[in-house]
Amino acid sequence: MIDGYGGPEVLRLSEVPVPVPGPGQVRIRVHTAGVNPVDVKLRGGYFSALAQAQFPLRLGNEYAGVVDQLGDRVEDIAVGDEVLGSATGQCYADWVVIEAADTVAKPTSMDWDVAGGIATVGQTAYTALTQIGGGNAGDTLLVHAAAGGVGTMAVQIARLWGTTVIGTASDRNHDYLRSLGAIPVVYGPGLVERVREIAPQGLDAALDLIGGAATAASLELVADRDRIGTTIDTEGAEKYGFHRVGGRTTPGLRQVVDWYRTGAVKMPSVTVYPLDHAAAAHRHVEAGHTQGKVVLQVR
């Protein structure tokens, strides 16, 4: 919970009433909750010019836990079911109330740490690739910041769909990208020339997960702006006519979770902090260059 914008120190624990599910909803006892860059930006006031927040404000957009109460007219889900998913601004908590239709069953083979961090990266990667046609068999796709959480998922999903993937990352993450099936390339000055050496035939699509110079590189390397997407550079997308991508899709998340269950995709490493160390978790994410996911252990 926060009472105003600021640094990680503004995060605090607070006692609030236990929520009650309404019709079509379920209450979930949260085990783990993911911490994402958007949480850090919201806490710091990055979005304050776009929307006026009502304080106190709870954070957290993804959860994993156990259903412990059903609302009226809920079918095909039972108390005791292990589930995961997304819920805007309420997941740093002991309980969340979710539309039953938006929950995704947690595989028994998936541990709680992974379950608490897969929703955002899985849905964002799946949706972004779909929006730019970045998973077409035979195509070549450039993923900027490919070793991050969303990048890890995007590389694997695109490879499952038969796409050749070139991924930007620092040298220390190149072996990691190779293990995912991507062709690694160092980001920074000279990126366009390095990519052209790898793919002289050109690129079909680009997915930007970092902003900044990635926009200019994508525009230079991909001719069709409908096949350029960014999860971060809203201003560039509006100015140059490419896509701001990402978002939630419960069917997409179910597919990603099923791929995980079968071993077709893997999650990046997960770092776990207890809920009362949420400030430290935010500092971890805020430092940048996080290859894996950060989650809060609630229970």
Side-chain angles (χ1 to χ4, degrees), residues 273-291:
Y273 291 86
L275 181 61
D276 58 359
H277 285 62
H282 271 231
R283 291 186 185 97
H284 185 139
V285 172
E286 208 161 22
H289 304 292
T290 301
Q291 183 188 96

Side-chain angles (χ1 to χ4, degrees), residues 84 104-105 107 110 118 252-261:
L84 59 90
V104 175
M110 180 184 286
I118 197 171
L253 179 56
R254 289 197 176 103
Q255 175 63 79
V256 171
V257 169
D258 192 54
W259 280 328
Y260 179 91
R261 180 187 60 79

